[in-house]
Amino acid sequence: PRRGAVSSVLNLSRSRRILALALPIMAAMASQSLMNLVDAAMVGSLGGEALAGVGLGGYASFIAISMVIGLGAGVQAMVARRKGERDRANYAVPLNAGLVLGLAFAIPISVIFALASAPMMAFLAPTAGVAEVGSDYFDMRLLSVWAVAMNFSYRGYWNGINRSGVYMRTLVITHVANVIFSYGLIFGAWGLPALGGAGAGLGTSLALYLGSALYLLQTWRAAREHGFLRARPSRATLRNILRISLPNGVQQFFFATGLTVLFWIIGRVGADEVAVAHILITLILFLILPAIGLGLSAASLVGQALGRRDADDAYRWGWDVTRLAVSLLFVLALPMWLVPDLILGLFLKQPALVELGRAPLMITGLAICLDGVAIIFTQALLGAGAARSVMVVTLAVQWFFFLPLAYIIGPVLGYGLLGIWLAQAFQRLITSLLLSGLWIKRGWAHIEL
């Protein structure tokens, strides 16, 4: 009994440590989802064409910035490792490297996508009007690729040293500014030009650069002693960040592209199926935010444990965070099983669409728990530096298993949206099992950063 009591205290202590890191991240991500809804409401007042164009431009923006998002994982893994080693003078050296690499990536990415913007939108958009709005919005968002690279690098630093509250505070301010800037530039308020959909893109870009400036100010004050903008990153530091960032960036790019392909496949089934799938995907992306927050905390805790040369503790953190995430997602998923019609009725007003989405939503409730396992082990493995293994598993399952199977089951065999959603749940099961297997094998414990 005494050992059990001690174990319970230790588990409670570890859960508190996980939540102390994860809750600010989860709050920040919730604010991001809320602001995205506000943006959609503002643009929606301009008409369906404007809303469709901005939505399409938003998907294209995600594809463009996906290659720099990976910098956050690389910086966080190395900062956490330095913290575990108690190398205070060099905590911020990986951040310096991330900022340099961010600029190096942002310039060619911005130029390439700017040249491809108009033909890309013309190919994807259903009408010329939607294509024009989408291209204008996309062009404005491309101005912020460097800001996104900087912000993810800063996020990696602050999360890596267990100060995720800085990330939460900065992101909330950034999104409030986004609403103000976008409102003024969409409608021409306060003497600003009325740019419509393009104004939403410009407002977002300006807000992201404001976020970069806030990060710079906070980091300058607190992290100079950690080498911020003082210590030059070595070639080894740059190489190690690229070892994590490039595979993670490729993974993000193909995830975004795969999501677009999935909607194309569902479009071959029918327009009603696309509408329902859009709601289901939106719900999934919202409900996995707690798992992402917990996953980022796992990345820091694993990296710090490895910095202390305690691979056993790192291994425990992966499972501790996974158990917490699955428990939380199970509670969040309960309404999908118990009252699916009520949830769908909030978004879909036609009974036929609710009927179409009922079974897929209930499947989503199960799959969201599997997603939690995959997300936690993805981030834990990234924290250990095993980005290439994560990339191989996720891309192989998505592109060589799920997407071909979805096309065969849906449009070819005629099993529709329900068949596609069953295949997607199976995809998540396989991904979770493979990533869990990587964690159990512990090959990641020998990676030096």
Side-chain angles (χ1 to χ4, degrees), residues 244-311:
I244 300 172
S245 302
L246 284 179
N248 188 241
V250 170
Q251 176 191 343
Q252 295 285 348
F253 175 82
F254 279 100
F255 171 78
T257 307
L259 196 59
T260 304
V261 172
L262 175 60
F263 274 106
W264 177 83
I265 291 172
I266 296 171
R268 306 282 73 78
V269 177
D272 287 348
E273 283 77 4
V274 171
V276 173
H278 177 68
I279 298 303
L280 295 174
I281 293 291
T282 300
L283 286 170
I284 291 171
L285 295 177
F286 179 74
L287 289 173
I288 64 172
L289 292 179
I292 295 173
L294 289 165
L296 289 171
S297 71
S300 291
L301 293 166
V302 167
Q304 290 165 19
L306 291 175
R308 297 191 304 271
R309 305 295 179 185
D310 191 346

Side-chain angles (χ1 to χ4, degrees), residues 17-28 164 290 293-297 324:
R17 190 171 172 190
I18 294 167
L19 291 173
L21 274 170
L23 286 176
I25 301 172
M26 291 158 61
S164 53
L294 289 165
L296 289 171
S297 71
L324 195 58

Side-chain angles (χ1 to χ4, degrees), residues 410-431:
V412 176
L413 297 180
Y415 288 101
L417 184 64
L418 178 58
I420 292 173
W421 237 247
L422 284 169
Q424 190 178 58
F426 195 43
Q427 171 210 4
R428 288 171 175 151
L429 174 62
I430 293 173
T431 303

